[in-house]
């Protein structure tokens, strides 16, 4: 019998190490169990090791029963990140007293402590997906921001981040091993407003982060007080009304305490026309438009054959048809005697635009704008307007016939505007002895009035001059003196009624300026609306107000180009006059070029009328069928289009071509009644008619249609030619030259023929009308040569009778139409609807006697011919009643008894 006397023996404690994800444990000391019963079989052998411990993922295995060696290994995967250490109990068991294992004994309990070794299986990960920071320009920072990464590995070696690195090259930044980012140079907002850099991290096992992290760094400018959110250029489209200039502008005050803000916005337009965008109509047209009294004399008109005294003066070109004369001290003009107003009384007005600077030299000479002096023998100035030492002086010497006492003679004004090199509008209203000066609509009384004796009466003629004064006596050679240096425009003088404040304001009004879409009390304008002042106590109200500041140009065709904007700002703080300095703003408004209108005059170019019509009391109306239209190009270059527009005209000139009119036998005139109810006036001469005034194209059309030409000796007339042109904005836009020829029908006893084969204009749509003949219609051009008027009618007698009846009916229509035309009533038309008569001419037989062919054709062919002729002569059928036909037949019978009928050739062609 085998006895198991002793229990196994093992060490009291073990220390082991296992690498995660492995199963072998390295124990110290090695796992060995000893039994004193050895070498007795079973009792001296080791059969098992048992482990006691909660969820210990290990097992012990006996490698040799005799030697007692064993091994400790993991029974399932060991993860360091889950558990770094394990502690449990182990005991050794012998094999008992026999093969059955009975009477086994176990060793004492030993403590096993296992440490799990880490494997570098994880990469660093950043704690944030994106890092943001901002810096102020010009500063060096120790740390702008800190980035942080972490690692899931369990050991310090693999879980700690040992290094950070900036991946993006060429950046002014650096990073330390703790993740602190700093700038290596001073940053500039103007150079770059933001930076984006990529950063990576490494653990202490040098494993790199799988994903780099982005770092955004914004550069903020040093807080500078000033306006922000504004554009340096604002484009203005003509015709768009009021446009906001600063819709997103706001004032940055850097959180400084303030008690008030004052902003001044100035629109600088001195380089546009006469100081700003004004209507560039002629002075006469503007005065008519503004309701000024008629009868003014323009002393500086545009040079022409009839106004040739301004030909030698220098004009300032390129000013959008704004007529400006520049005087450099060497130019002057004598105004012809027939132009000079002779009836200056105690009431008259002088008006002019003037741009003048300080006079050079120590002793300034008088600079004369306007002077009326003795033409010869003496050197007396009767009246003059001049500038002297930046003072404006009006000299007005009365004749002894008017007054014989010491009376006011010189009126002096001292104003900054006289020498500021800017355009101003001056109006001098004389209501003797009171004289008032208006400058840009503001009233100024003279600061000095000096008296003088009246001028003795004499028979010496006077000379009116512009730009200097004429010295005709007391010198060896008559000459100009006291030359003017500066620019003038629209110099006029008007005897009689003085102008009102309303008219003066209208004449000098700007058509562009600053505008606001608000009625708040924050805003204050100057009269010209070129300067706007905004005042408020807090920044928010100022910001809101400034967003409402707008630019407006009310002209339909404004002057294109730049307008400068200048904004000055003053900030007041509590207890201080000024505390923040706000930089001035300089911006521009770009007025884009308007679509240029194309003015077209259309109508009949030839009028052939019997001598009786030309001799009649009303004559003929050459432009009765005139039409004036205007179009502009719209759309882009790929899809252009034409659109009709409505706008005003300011003059239409009818010029006589060839010899001037002979007043003894002919006239071209327009009755005053034709201008009533319109802003129009007219001048007449032997060279033509000029209708002027700012008014609609429709009113000009109506007036031109009522121009009448008479010739009470038509036997001397072959033809009379006229040329018509119209203008908008004083010649800035002009129409085509429309030519009209009026001729007399000398051989009215011969039958003339309508050529039914004449080609119709392609832009006219054929419309069915019965053949009508208008007494004033002349769409068919060309006069019949004498050979073509000789027609030998060789036909059957019955058909000849039909021709004669047709001739009589045409004559009836013509006579009736002529009479009603003179009464200015719509002419009736002759209805040939029931006639199947067609007259044709063989064009090959022009040079030999022509044979009239009369054919009765099919009704449809007749209608086609009537369509063509009716279309060509522009006939309209609206009087076809049988009663009218009966009346016409009676009139034909009456005229048969009086004499041979006359044909109207105005609608007949060959």
């Amino acid at each position: 019998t085998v006895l198991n006397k002793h229990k196994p023996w093992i060490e009291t404690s073990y220390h082991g190490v296992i690498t995660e994800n492995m199963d072998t444990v390295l124990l110290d000391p090695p796992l060995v169990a000893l039994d004193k019963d050895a070498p007795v079989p079973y009792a001296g052998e080791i059969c098992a090791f048992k482990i006691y411990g909660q969820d210990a993922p290990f097992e012990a295995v006996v490698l040799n029963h005799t030697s007692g060696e064993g091994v400790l290994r993991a029974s399932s995967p060991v993860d360091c990140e889950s558990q770094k250490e394990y502690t449990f109990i182990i005991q050794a068991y012998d094999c008992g007293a026999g093969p059955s294992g009975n009477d086994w004994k176990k060793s004492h309990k030993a403590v096993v402590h296992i440490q799990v070794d880490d494997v570098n299986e994880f990469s660093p990960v950043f704690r944030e997906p994106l890092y943001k920071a901002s810096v102020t320009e010009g500063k060096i920072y120790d740390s702008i921001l800190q980035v942080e990464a972490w690692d899931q590995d369990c050991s310090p070696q693999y879980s700690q981040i040992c290094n950070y690195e900036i991946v993006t090259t060429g950046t002014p930044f650096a990073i330390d091993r703790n993740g602190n980012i700093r700038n290596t140079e001073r940053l500039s907002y103007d150079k770059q407003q933001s930076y984006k850099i990529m950063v990576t991290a490494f653990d202490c096992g040098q494993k790199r982060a799988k994903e780099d992290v982005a770092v955004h760094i914004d550069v903020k400018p040093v807080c500078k007080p000033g306006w922000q959110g504004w554009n340096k250029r604002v484009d203005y489209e003509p015709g768009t009304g009021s446009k906001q200039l600063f819709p997103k502008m706001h004032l940055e005050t850097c959180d400084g305490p303030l008690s008030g803000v004052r902003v001044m916005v100035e629109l600088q337009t001195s380089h546009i026309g006469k100081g700003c965008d004004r209507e560039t109509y002629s002075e006469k047209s503007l005065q008519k438009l503004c309701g000024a009294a008629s009868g003014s004399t323009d002393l500086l008109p545009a040079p022409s054959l009839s106004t040739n005294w301004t030909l030698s003066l220098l004009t300032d070109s390129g000013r959008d048809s704004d007529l400006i004369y520049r005087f450099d001290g060497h130019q002057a003009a004598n105004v012809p005697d027939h132009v000079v107003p002779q009836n200056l009384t105690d009431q008259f007005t002088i008006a002019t635009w003037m741009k003048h600077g300080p006079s050079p030299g120590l002793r300034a000479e008088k600079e004369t704008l306007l002077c009326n002096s003795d033409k010869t023998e003496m050197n007396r100035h009767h009246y003059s307007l001049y500038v002297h030492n930046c003072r404006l002086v009006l000299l007005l010497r009365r004749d002894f016939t008017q007054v014989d006492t010491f009376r006011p003679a010189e009126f002096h004004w001292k104003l900054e505007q006289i020498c500021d090199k800017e355009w101003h509008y001056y109006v001098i209203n004389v209501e003797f002895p009171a004289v008032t000066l208006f400058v840009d609509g503001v009233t100024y009384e003279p600061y000095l009035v000096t008296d003088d004796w009246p001028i003795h009466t004499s028979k010496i003629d006077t000379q009116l001059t512009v730009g200097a004064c004429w010295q005709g006596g007391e010198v060896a050679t008559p000459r100009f003196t006291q030359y003017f240096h500066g620019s003038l425009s629209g110099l006029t003088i008007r005897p009689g009624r003085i102008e009102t404040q309303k008219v003066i304001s209208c004449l000098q009004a700007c058509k562009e300026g600053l505008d606001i879409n608000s009625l708040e009390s924050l805003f204050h304008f100057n009269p010209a609306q070129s300067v706007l002042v905004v005042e408020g106590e807090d920044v928010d109200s100022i910001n809101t107000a400034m967003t409402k500041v707008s630019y407006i140009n009310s002209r339909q065709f404004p002057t294109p180009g730049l307008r400068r904007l200048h904004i000055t700002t003053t900030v007041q703080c509590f207890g201080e006059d000024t505390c923040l300095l706000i930089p001035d703003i300089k911006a521009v408004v770009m007025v884009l070029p308007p679509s240029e209108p194309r003015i077209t005059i259309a109508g009949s170019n030839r009028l052939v009328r019997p001598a009786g019509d030309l001799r009649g009391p009303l004559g003929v109306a050459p432009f009765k069928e005139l039409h004036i239209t205007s179009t502009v190009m719209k759309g882009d270059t790929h899809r252009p289009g034409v659109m009709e527009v409505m706008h005003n005209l300011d003059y239409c000139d009818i010029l006589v071509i060839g010899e001037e009119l002979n007043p003894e036998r002919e006239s071209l005139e327009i009755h005053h009644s034709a201008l009533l109810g319109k802003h129009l006036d007219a001048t007449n001469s032997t060279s033509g008619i000029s209708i002027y005034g700012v008014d609609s194209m429709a009113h000009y059309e109506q007036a031109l249609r009522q121009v009448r030409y008479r010739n009470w000796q038509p036997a001397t007339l072959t033809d009379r030619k006229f040329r018509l042109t119209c203008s908008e904005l004083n010649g800035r836009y002009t129409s085509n030259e429309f030519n009209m020829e009026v001729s007399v029908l000398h051989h009215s006893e011969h039958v003339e023929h309508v050529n039914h084969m004449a080609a119709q204009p392609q832009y006219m749509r054929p419309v069915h009308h019965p053949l009508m003949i208008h007494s004033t219609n002349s769409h068919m051009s060309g006069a019949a040569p004498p050979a073509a008027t000789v027609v030998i009618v060789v036909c059957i007698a019955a058909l000849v009778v039909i021709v004669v009846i047709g001739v009589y009916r045409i004559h009836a229509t013509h006579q009736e139409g002529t009479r009603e035309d003179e009464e200015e009533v719509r002419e009736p038309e002759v209805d040939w609807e029931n006639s199947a008569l067609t007259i044709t001419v063989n064009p090959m037989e022009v040079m030999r006697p022509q044979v009239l062919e009369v054919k009765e054709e099919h009704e449809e062919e007749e209608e086609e011919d009537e369509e063509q002729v009716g279309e060509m002569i522009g006939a309209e059928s609206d009087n076809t009643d049988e009663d009218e036909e009966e009346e016409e037949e009676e009139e034909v019978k009456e005229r048969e008894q009086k004499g041979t009928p006359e044909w109207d050739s105005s609608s007949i062609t060959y």
Side-chain angles (χ1 to χ4, degrees), residues 292-297 341-350 383 398 427-432 434 492-500:
S294 59
S296 68
T297 300
Q342 303 296 329
N343 54 345
L344 288 187
T345 61
D346 287 347
Q347 282 191 346
F348 64 92
T349 301
I350 299 174
Y383 62 86
R398 315 301 289 174
V427 177
I428 298 176
N429 267 348
V430 177
E431 200 168 12
F432 197 80
T492 61
I493 186 167
R494 176 186 291 106
R497 188 168 74 96
I498 61 175
E499 293 298 3
T500 64

Side-chain angles (χ1 to χ4, degrees), residues 192 396 501 515 545 566 588 648 672 801 804 880:
Q192 191 166 341
L396 186 59
Q501 175 90 38
D515 190 31
H566 188 202
V588 295
N648 290 328
H672 179 68
V801 173
V804 172
T880 59

Side-chain angles (χ1 to χ4, degrees), residues 461-690:
D461 292 333
T462 59
Q463 176 64 60
L464 183 62
T465 54
V466 175
C469 208
W470 179 253
Q471 187 171 358
E474 303 177 2
V475 290
T477 305
R479 59 187 174 88
F480 287 113
T481 61
Q482 301 174 5
Y483 283 99
F484 179 69
H485 295 76
S487 297
L488 297 176
S489 179
L491 176 58
T492 61
I493 186 167
R494 176 186 291 106
R497 188 168 74 96
I498 61 175
E499 293 298 3
T500 64
Q501 175 90 38
K502 182 178 180 181
V503 170
I504 293 170
S505 298
C506 174
L507 289 170
Q508 59 90 37
C510 282
K511 294 298 181 179
E512 65 178 336
L514 298 172
D515 190 31
I516 50 171
N517 299 317
S518 172
L519 298 176
E520 297 179 33
S521 59
L522 297 171
F523 301 99
H524 308 285
F525 280 108
N526 69 334
Q529 288 194 209
S530 60
V531 177
L532 170 65
V533 176
V534 185
E535 292 182 291
E537 296 180 354
D538 62 279
V539 176
D540 290 340
S541 64
I542 291 293
N543 288 340
T544 303
M546 288 299 291
T547 61
K548 298 176 181 178
V549 177
S550 304
Y551 170 82
I552 188 169
N553 194 315
S554 60
R555 293 187 67 192
Q556 188 174 5
F557 305 108
T559 303
L562 292 176
R563 274 72 163 165
R564 290 178 175 83
L565 286 166
H566 188 202
I567 301 176
T568 54
T569 309
T570 305
V571 177
Q572 292 182 333
C573 295
F574 295 98
E576 300 180 43
D577 291 337
T578 57
C579 51
L580 293 177
L581 294 178
I582 308 296
D584 290 355
I585 282 181
K586 292 184 178 180
V588 295
V589 177
M590 173 60 81
V591 178
L592 302 177
S595 299
E596 296 197 0
R598 182 178 181 180
I599 306 168
T600 304
I601 304 175
S604 302
N605 292 96
R606 184 179 176 88
L607 180 66
V608 182
R609 297 298 295 272
D613 291 355
L614 293 170
R615 280 195 301 264
L618 294 177
V620 296
F623 304 102
K624 190 171 182 64
E625 296 176 5
L626 184 89
H627 293 284
I628 304 175
T629 57
S630 184
T631 56
V632 295
M633 297 295 295
K634 286 292 182 183
D636 53 29
T637 55
H638 302 292
R639 298 185 62 185
V642 178
M643 185 178 71
E644 186 170 345
V645 292
M646 302 302 294
H647 58 77
N648 290 328
L649 300 176
D650 60 349
Y651 68 79
C652 284
D653 289 342
I654 302 174
L655 185 65
V656 176
I657 306 300
E659 295 183 5
E660 291 191 358
L661 295 174
N662 186 342
E664 295 181 359
R665 63 171 182 262
E666 58 184 339
S667 70
L668 183 70
E669 56 192 20
I670 182 170
H671 197 270
H672 179 68
S673 61
L675 305 177
L676 291 178
K678 306 177 179 67
H679 294 290
L680 298 179
D681 212 337
T683 58
N684 200 346
S685 70
T686 56
S687 59
I689 288 179
S690 179

Side-chain angles (χ1 to χ4, degrees), residues 236-239 269 271-280 318-322 511-512 551 553-563 589-594 729 732-733:
Y236 182 80
E237 185 76 31
T269 59
H271 61 293
I272 302 294
K274 296 190 291 287
C276 70
D277 210 1
R278 294 180 168 92
E279 295 294 7
T280 55
R319 291 282 186 169
D320 184 27
S321 301
D322 210 353
K511 294 298 181 179
E512 65 178 336
Y551 170 82
N553 194 315
S554 60
R555 293 187 67 192
Q556 188 174 5
F557 305 108
T559 303
L562 292 176
R563 274 72 163 165
V589 177
M590 173 60 81
V591 178
L592 302 177
L729 295 173
R732 178 177 172 187
Y733 306 117

